[in-house]
C-alpha cells in the first residue's frame, strides 16, 4: 500500500475515532492507549475462536501500559471480498495492565479498502476485571487504520477504556 493512500485512510479514520485522553476524577477514569506491535495470539484464545491478535498497549505519551489480545469469535460481511466492503467482527479484548486486567466483549466494525488494509471502529462494555479492576464497570471504544505489508503491520489504532465509579454507563 502506498504511503499516500495510508495517510488518506488515517485522515478518514480520525473522524471515526472518539476523542480520547487520559483523565481521572472522582467518578470516572479514562485510560487511552495506542495498539503497538501486533502479533499472533491464536494459541491464547479459545479453541472455537477464528484467530487472535496480541498487542502492546502504549500510552499516548509513549509509556508502556501493558499488553492485550483480541480473540475473534465471528466475522460478518466481506465474503466474497469487494474493495471498501464492510464487515463486523465479534471479539473479546483482554487488557492486562500492571494493576490488573479487564475483559470486554467487542464489536469491531471495519471497512476494507483492500484485502490487506482496514479502517476500524470498535466498542464494547467491560464484562470483568481482576486486581485493582475487580468489579469494574465501563466501556472500551476506539479504532483507527491499519495495513498488513511485506514489512509487517503499519497503522495507527487508539482505544480508550472509560471506567465509571461503581456504575455501568
Amino acid at each position: 500500500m502506498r504511503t499516500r493512500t495510508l495517510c488518506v485512510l488515517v485522515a478518514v479514520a480520525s473522524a471515526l475515532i472518539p476523542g480520547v485522553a487520559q483523565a481521572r476524577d472522582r467518578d470516572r477514569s479514562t485510560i487511552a492507549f495506542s495498539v503497538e506491535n501486533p502479533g499472533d495470539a491464536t494459541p491464547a484464545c479459545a479453541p472455537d475462536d477464528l484467530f487472535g491478535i496480541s498487542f502492546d498497549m502504549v500510552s499516548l505519551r509513549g509509556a508502556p501500559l501493558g499488553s492485550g489480545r483480541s480473540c475473534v469469535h465471528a466475522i460478518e460481511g466481506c465474503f466474497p471480498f469487494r474493495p471498501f466492503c464492510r464487515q463486523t467482527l465479534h471479539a473479546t479484548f483482554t487488557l492486562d495492565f500492571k494493576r490488573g486486567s479487564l475483559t470486554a466483549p467487542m464489536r469491531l466494525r471495519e471497512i476494507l479498502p483492500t484485502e490487506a488494509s482496514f479502517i476500524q471502529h470498535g466498542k464494547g462494555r467491560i464484562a470483568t476485571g481482576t486486581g485493582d479492576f475487580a468489579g469494574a464497570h465501563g466501556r472500551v471504544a476506539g479504532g483507527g487504520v491499519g495495513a498488513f505489508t511485506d514489512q509487517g503491520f503499519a497503522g495507527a489504532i487508539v482505544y480508550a477504556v472509560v471506567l465509571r465509579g461503581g456504575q455501568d454507563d
Side-chain angles (χ1 to χ4, degrees):
M1 173 179 283
R2 300 164 109 188
T3 304
R4 181 177 290 171
T5 304
L6 187 57
C7 289
V8 169
L9 292 175
V10 168
V12 169
S14 295
L16 299 174
I17 302 173
V20 293
Q22 291 185 332
R24 186 175 182 95
D25 62 31
R26 288 187 321 187
D27 299 319
R28 182 171 65 184
S29 177
T30 301
I31 305 167
F33 64 89
S34 175
V35 172
E36 306 285 339
N37 306 314
D40 182 15
T42 302
C45 295
D48 292 345
D49 289 336
L50 301 174
F51 63 91
I53 296 179
S54 63
F55 51 88
D56 294 331
M57 296 182 296
V58 178
S59 78
L60 302 182
R61 293 184 177 166
L65 297 175
S67 62
R69 73 178 170 274
S70 173
C71 295
V72 176
H73 318 302
I75 301 174
E76 301 166 3
C78 289
F79 295 110
F81 172 79
R82 297 169 323 281
F84 293 96
C85 62
R86 295 172 185 266
Q87 69 180 14
T88 300
L89 285 73
H90 299 276
T92 299
F93 278 14
T94 303
L95 308 175
D96 296 318
F97 298 94
K98 293 175 188 172
R99 301 180 348 233
S101 68
L102 294 166
T103 302
M106 300 289 295
R107 178 178 290 176
L108 310 175
R109 296 180 189 264
E110 295 183 337
I111 299 171
L112 306 180
T114 69
E115 290 183 281
S117 63
F118 61 90
I119 302 167
Q120 180 183 91
H121 177 261
K123 62 182 179 177
R125 294 217 175 262
I126 296 168
T128 61
T130 66
D132 285 356
F133 300 111
H137 296 279
R139 58 188 163 83
V140 180
V145 298
F148 297 95
T149 68
D150 293 339
Q151 293 78 34
F153 178 80
I157 301 172
V158 175
Y159 273 87
V161 176
V162 179
L163 301 168
R164 301 288 281 183
Q167 300 177 21
D168 205 4
D169 59 339

